[in-house]
Amino acid sequence: MELDPAGAELKSVLNRLRRAQGQLAGVIRMIEEGRDCEEVVTQLAAASRALDRAGFAIIATGLQQCLTDLEGSGRSAEDRDEMRARLEKLFLSLA
């Protein structure tokens, strides 16, 4: 299952990941500067949420692509079940 980075959904994901990257750099800088623990944890939580949302968006995009591919592919029920299990495992890894 390959992702098409030109898709609008994935452009949004890339923007979200870049934002999270900036937040993580900010968290590192805050720790190095000895900033208040509450401020650091707040920023870390924001970065974590951004990463989670990006992961869910990637999985949702993958699900949509796979379901479309599976419907028109003529694959066996076993292949479809295997793909469904793989996607379920990916989804649960973020939960």
Side-chain angles (χ1 to χ4, degrees):
M1 170 179 52
E2 292 186 23
L3 298 173
D4 175 17
E9 300 90 4
L10 291 181
K11 285 183 181 182
S12 172
V13 168
L14 289 172
N15 287 337
R16 191 180 306 263
L17 289 172
R18 287 185 183 101
R19 199 171 324 128
Q21 185 179 30
Q23 288 172 318
L24 285 174
V27 168
I28 292 168
R29 191 171 42 257
M30 291 171 77
I31 291 170
E32 291 172 343
E33 294 171 355
R35 298 277 294 273
D36 181 67
C37 179
E38 188 175 343
E39 292 176 24
V40 172
V41 171
T42 299
Q43 286 303 310
L44 192 57
S48 178
R49 283 190 304 274
L51 290 173
D52 286 344
R53 287 182 178 182
F56 286 126
I58 289 170
I59 290 172
T61 301
L63 280 171
Q64 186 178 19
Q65 288 177 354
C66 287
L67 291 175
T68 302
D69 291 349
L70 286 175
E71 288 174 356
S73 70
R75 292 184 181 188
S76 70
E78 187 176 305
D79 286 343
R80 289 191 303 267
D81 289 344
E82 180 184 336
M83 179 61 74
R84 187 175 295 116
R86 287 176 51 206
L87 290 169
E88 182 179 333
K89 184 177 178 181
L90 283 173
F91 181 79
L92 291 174
S93 72
L94 291 174

